[in-house]
Amino acid sequence: MAKQIIFSDSISITEIKDPKLDSWINTNLEECKKKDKGVAISNIGGYQTKPFLDKEITKLLGGPAGLAVKDLSEENFKFEMLNVWINKNYKYSYNSCHFHGGSHYSGVYYYKVPKDSGQLVFHRTDATAFLNLYDFYKTLDTCSTFKINPCPGMLVVFPASFTHSVEQNMSEEPRVSVAFNFKITGAIK
């Protein structure tokens, strides 16, 4: 007998060092906080900007996001950035379990990540999550969650259908990230 992988899920994790991106996040976060109280979608506590899009962030995140998609497929794709929002999670703030409908891929770039500010958690949503097979043999095939400990400059791109959450920030300092959605518009030939 030979193991056959019948369903395969992947994410892309990379590091970006771009002072222009960090400056854009800092400037836009402060401008948005002056304009409004933000929105509550998956965030419990903290501040989340209303979703928006501008040419500068599309340029700053578009290149790295495109390279991340190449990690997930051998095809080259054209894509369209749909929206972006900035999260500032203060102590005890977190993001509840959710997914991003209406897009093909989502991503998150971590700008400020103090120690103990919460992990990104992907949740398995098929019946395997309820069988507790991980208690018997510990493999990626049997685990019900996959956790990423973020660090400054980390970019994570994943299928938008992946259910995920962010653990509670237990640091005295806020965690700041920018999240975004995009869709594939066609293959590059």
Side-chain angles (χ1 to χ4, degrees), residues 34-92:
K34 288 176 187 174
K35 285 189 230 172
D36 59 56
K37 293 183 181 186
V39 296
I41 298 176
S42 69
N43 53 310
I44 310 299
Y47 177 82
Q48 184 174 332
T49 67
K50 293 177 181 175
F52 63 96
L53 194 59
D54 70 22
K55 287 182 183 178
E56 187 174 359
I57 192 61
T58 298
K59 181 180 169 187
L60 291 168
L61 281 175
L67 290 174
V69 171
K70 286 183 80 168
D71 280 348
L72 305 176
S73 171
E74 293 181 14
E75 298 286 327
N76 287 322
F77 292 105
K78 294 183 245 178
F79 64 91
E80 176 186 351
M81 192 77 75
L82 299 173
N83 51 22
V84 174
W85 60 98
I86 304 169
N87 299 295
K88 186 171 188 176
N89 283 26
Y90 303 101
K91 187 169 186 174
Y92 305 125

Side-chain angles (χ1 to χ4, degrees), residues 10 14 35 54 90 121 131 133 172 178 185:
S10 300
T14 191
K35 285 189 230 172
D54 70 22
Y90 303 101
V121 183
L131 295 176
L133 289 174
E172 297 295 333
V178 60
T185 59

Side-chain angles (χ1 to χ4, degrees), residues 41-45 48 85 87 89 92-98 119 123 164-169 175 177:
I41 298 176
S42 69
N43 53 310
I44 310 299
Q48 184 174 332
W85 60 98
N87 299 295
N89 283 26
Y92 305 125
S93 300
Y94 63 98
N95 291 80
S96 62
C97 208
H98 65 285
Q119 293 182 312
H123 302 268
H164 58 284
S165 62
V166 182
E167 295 174 333
Q168 195 171 50
N169 180 2
R175 178 185 63 245
S177 62

